[in-house]
Amino acid sequence: PDPPLVPRDPVGRAECLILEDWADQAFMAISRRIAYGTIVGRPGRLASLFFPGDPAPARWIKERIARRRVAQRFGLTPRRHEIDVVEAKRLAALAVARLGGRPWLLGSSPTIADVALATMSAPLAADRELRDDPGVRALLIWGEALVPEDARLVYRG
């Protein structure tokens, strides 16, 4: 696209790709655990997302199985959640500091690093405690320009 999502100059390109990789590495696993943990903790929510067309008895059974499998697959435990919340707050504060009040991580237009940061951190909105944290809230508000409204509703729903 014009402007490009990756800067053309070598230094800008390298910084952009480093920031994209950081956003992916820092937020992907933690955001996924937080979002799934919140969804699994809301009866009926997992079934409505993954089995919306199934009859109610089938959704109930499938959800019970899916909740167990998701919890096992992603290591969802109360202790892991506590650790993730602390780390998510730290990471959000770092990201907001890196933005420094600017609209984009690099330059005057969004890059792939901005897209990665906005989309990888968006699932943090699933957790009420995180939404109330000033750093997380600032990051989520910043990311709203890049994350479609319907995707944000999945996490806050």
Side-chain angles (χ1 to χ4, degrees):
D2 189 29
L5 289 175
V6 178
R8 288 185 175 96
D9 70 281
V11 172
R13 181 180 191 81
E15 185 176 8
C16 177
L17 295 175
I18 287 168
L19 287 170
E20 176 199 13
D21 189 51
W22 174 79
D24 286 344
Q25 294 296 318
F27 285 99
M28 187 182 298
I30 198 167
S31 291
R32 183 174 38 220
R33 281 193 304 270
I34 286 170
Y36 273 132
T38 301
I39 290 167
V40 164
R42 296 178 183 163
R45 185 73 173 130
L46 196 61
S48 70
L49 288 172
F50 292 108
F51 318 113
D54 290 1
R59 272 198 330 263
W60 184 83
I61 291 168
K62 287 179 178 182
E63 180 175 60
R64 288 179 58 102
I65 295 166
R67 285 170 68 189
R68 202 169 325 120
R69 297 290 299 159
V70 167
Q72 288 172 342
R73 165 67 176 89
F74 296 108
L76 305 180
T77 65
R79 179 66 184 136
R80 178 80 248 177
H81 181 76
E82 289 174 19
I83 292 167
D84 285 346
V85 166
V86 170
E87 182 64 0
K89 289 177 181 180
R90 185 185 76 78
L91 292 170
L94 283 173
V96 170
R98 175 62 175 90
L99 284 162
R102 296 182 313 267
W104 310 115
L105 289 165
L106 302 162
S108 59
S109 61
T111 65
I112 195 73
D114 297 294
V115 173
L117 180 58
T119 56
M120 291 298 112
S121 62
L124 299 178
D127 186 274
R128 184 176 313 277
E129 180 183 349
L130 287 173
R131 285 194 312 261
D132 291 341
D133 178 76
V136 173
R137 185 173 46 250
L139 182 59
L140 294 172
I141 289 168
W142 168 83
E144 287 177 357
L146 295 168
V147 179
E149 176 70 23
D150 57 340
R152 291 190 313 247
L153 289 175
V154 168
Y155 303 124
R156 291 188 180 163

